[in-house]
Amino acid sequence: MTRLNLVLLVAVIASALFLVRTQYQSRRLYAELDKAEGDARKLLVEKERLEFEKRAQATPLRVEKLAKEQLQMRTAGPAITQYVKLKDARAAQ
């Protein structure tokens, strides 16, 4: 009977240690998951901010202003437009 009690005691202790280890791993994984979700939220906010910035930088008025100021471009009009005439393929033969 003593031998059986000893075996059962060892089994209970092993089971308890396994349960403690499993709970510890579960808590650690939950903490990692929570951190990853927080990082994902931060990345989503950063993405939205960058998309807003991109839209703000690409407005037609801003592009036109940069073209005039930095590239010394001007608006095309009939006075500065040069037309290229296409020769007719039949007339060239």
Side-chain angles (χ1 to χ4, degrees):
M1 189 73 167
T2 311
R3 187 175 283 181
L4 179 62
N5 287 341
L6 187 60
V7 170
L8 290 176
L9 178 65
V10 170
V12 168
I13 291 174
S15 176
L17 290 175
F18 181 75
L19 179 64
V20 168
R21 181 175 165 258
T22 304
Q23 286 177 339
Y24 172 76
Q25 286 179 341
S26 175
R27 288 185 184 120
R28 185 180 51 82
L29 290 174
Y30 182 77
E32 286 181 27
L33 176 65
D34 193 42
K35 182 182 180 294
E37 287 175 346
D39 291 344
R41 282 190 296 273
K42 286 179 187 176
L43 288 173
L44 184 61
V45 168
E46 179 72 8
K47 177 186 174 218
E48 289 174 359
R49 185 187 67 79
L50 290 173
E51 284 179 353
F52 175 77
E53 236 178 73
K54 178 182 162 187
R55 284 191 302 270
Q57 295 289 325
T59 60
L61 292 176
R62 185 175 185 285
V63 171
E64 184 177 347
K65 178 184 172 192
L66 289 174
K68 286 180 180 179
E69 291 176 1
Q70 293 181 0
L71 302 175
Q72 288 81 35
M73 297 176 86
R74 57 183 181 199
T75 307
I80 61 170
T81 304
Q82 295 181 358
Y83 296 96
V84 178
K85 294 182 181 181
L86 179 66
K87 291 185 178 181
D88 190 12
R90 287 176 273 166
Q93 291 177 353

